[in-house]
Amino acid sequence: MCGISGIYNCFSKNINSKKIIEKIIKLQDKRGPDDSGTWQSNCNKITFGHNRLSIIDLSEKAKQPFVSKDNSLIITFNGEIYNYKEIKKELTQKNIIFKSNSDTEVILESYKFWGINFLNKLRGMFSFAIWDDLKKKLILARDPFGIKPIYYLNKNGIYYFASQIKSLLSIENLIFELSNAGVVSYYLWGNIQEPFTLYKDIQFIKRGTYTVIDNDGKEENFKYADIKRTILNSNSLDLKNEKDAIIYLKNIVDESVKYHQVSDIPVTFLLSSGIDSNAIVASINNNE
């Protein structure tokens, strides 16, 4: 996992954004011990931070925050895009040139080519922030399953986001009150239902959604993926017998396990002794 963070100071208020982000980077160090970095726009309105855990393209070319070739797009990204090679191949065939071998750059070039609908092409776990310098807007997005977290708040027209709540709580001169909805949710369900947290002003970016914040501080939220609805609306499989069902399930598991092994470093598996663990190990052997 990596750690992402950022500030969008829409109205250029008097805060030291870089100092805040540098503090957050230190707090999130265990999320990404391999490298860290900051980026700030020329107007000082946008500041991004990143803690890097290197998985794909270990070189300096993949360093984050990552800036596109034409300097129009900047991203801080946590996660992994399992099908980035297929997407990159598709874009390369359209004469798009890449400066790295990272899945991070594939996200930016996909957004540039297809627009925000590129999110439906991604297969992976992710949370990221993109600053579109041409359109002057900030995009915060999270994967359909909500595997990778991203928390944010708007205080006095300044947007803050990070991978961990404690990072936002570390910001000086901000007062945080407990959220009644978050507390009730915890006691009812044993966990806090999204988009709530224990704090009134801090919220999740919901799973399968993205948030757009424009140059005037206007916020809009959009849903691009709904796993539950997709399953409920899916067509029934025309499987003739149990053997066909077993073969179908095996192929699905093998495909998923193969994608999860996409990496430029050795892959380690931490397994229990359950039937699911045995199925994963068996699939790995089949894919070798």
Side-chain angles (χ1 to χ4, degrees):
M1 61 182 172
C2 295
I4 65 174
S5 53
I7 296 173
Y8 185 12
N9 188 0
C10 309
F11 306 110
S12 301
K13 296 192 175 181
N14 187 25
I15 63 169
N16 192 335
S17 298
K18 195 165 186 180
K19 182 179 178 181
I20 294 170
I21 294 302
E22 286 173 349
K23 183 178 180 180
I24 289 176
I25 286 174
K26 290 180 180 179
L27 285 171
Q28 296 188 158
D29 179 66
K30 290 184 179 179
R31 297 188 68 90
D34 295 327
D35 194 14
S36 64
T38 62
W39 173 88
Q40 191 167 58
S41 62
N42 292 331
C43 63
N44 295 326
K45 287 186 176 183
I46 302 291
T47 308
F48 281 174
H50 190 79
N51 299 86
R52 186 181 182 194
L53 178 65
S54 302
I55 302 295
I56 294 175
D57 191 346
L58 313 184
S59 72
E60 280 289 312
K61 293 180 180 179
K63 184 179 177 65
Q64 293 194 54
F66 189 97
V67 182
S68 64
K69 300 188 304 295
D70 61 1
N71 297 315
S72 67
L73 300 171
I74 301 88
I75 186 172
T76 180
F77 159 55
N78 172 28
E80 184 175 358
I81 308 303
Y82 300 129
N83 64 335
Y84 82 98
K85 291 181 180 179
E86 290 95 322
I87 298 174
K88 183 176 182 179
K89 182 179 180 181
E90 187 177 353
L91 289 169
T92 301
Q93 290 172 346
K94 300 179 187 298
N95 299 319
I96 293 173
I97 299 172
F98 291 80
K99 66 178 183 179
S100 75
N101 293 314
S102 68
D103 52 347
T104 308
E105 187 176 13
V106 169
I107 293 175
L108 286 188
E109 294 299 331
S110 297
Y111 168 71
K112 187 187 299 184
F113 188 83
W114 288 294
I116 196 62
N117 289 330
F118 88 97
L119 285 166
N120 294 302
K121 299 178 74 71
L122 302 183
R123 178 171 183 169
M125 51 180 182
F126 55 84
S127 63
F128 61 74
I130 292 176
W131 171 245
D132 187 327
D133 198 51
L134 296 178
K135 297 180 179 179
K136 302 300 180 185
K137 63 182 181 181
L138 176 67
I139 300 168
L140 305 175
R142 193 169 173 220
D143 65 77
F145 287 96
I147 298 172
K148 294 300 181 182
I150 180 169
Y151 303 94
Y152 79 111
L153 73 148
N154 176 10
K155 277 282 192 178
N156 304 317
I158 303 173
Y159 282 88
Y160 306 84
F161 69 86
S163 294
Q164 294 177 263
I165 290 179
K166 73 174 184 179
S167 302
L168 300 177
L169 295 177
S170 74
I171 301 171
E172 296 178 1
N173 301 319
L174 293 185
I175 298 173
F176 297 94
E177 299 178 30
L178 286 177
S179 164
N180 291 334
V183 172
V184 170
S185 175
Y186 178 79
Y187 281 110
L188 280 176
W189 307 105
N191 58 75
I192 302 171
Q193 302 294 298
E194 297 179 11
F196 304 114
T197 69
L198 279 178
Y199 300 92
K200 186 181 295 184
D201 294 318
I202 301 177
Q203 295 188 20
F204 265 115
I205 296 295
K206 293 182 181 179
R207 67 192 71 183
T209 69
Y210 66 93
T211 295
V212 178
I213 305 165
D214 67 19
N215 203 35
D216 297 321
K218 180 183 176 183
E219 175 186 332
E220 291 187 277
N221 301 292
F222 303 90
K223 194 173 189 68
Y224 71 89
D226 189 326
I227 299 298
K228 181 179 179 181
R229 182 173 296 177
T230 299
I231 293 173
L232 292 175
N233 293 336
S234 62
N235 297 323
S236 298
L237 296 172
D238 185 21
L239 301 173
K240 297 179 181 179
N241 50 50
E242 183 179 353
K243 182 179 179 181
D244 283 353
I246 292 172
I247 293 173
Y248 177 83
L249 180 59
K250 178 183 180 300
N251 290 337
I252 293 296
V253 171
D254 286 347
E255 180 188 69
S256 181
V257 169
K258 184 177 180 180
Y259 268 112
H260 280 73
Q261 294 181 77
V262 175
S263 175
D264 289 335
I265 61 173
V267 178
T268 299
F269 294 86
L270 302 178
L271 305 171
S272 66
S273 59
I275 189 172
D276 53 344
S277 296
N278 284 286
I280 291 172
V281 173
S283 179
I284 294 168
N285 290 331
N286 290 335
N287 286 325
E288 288 182 348

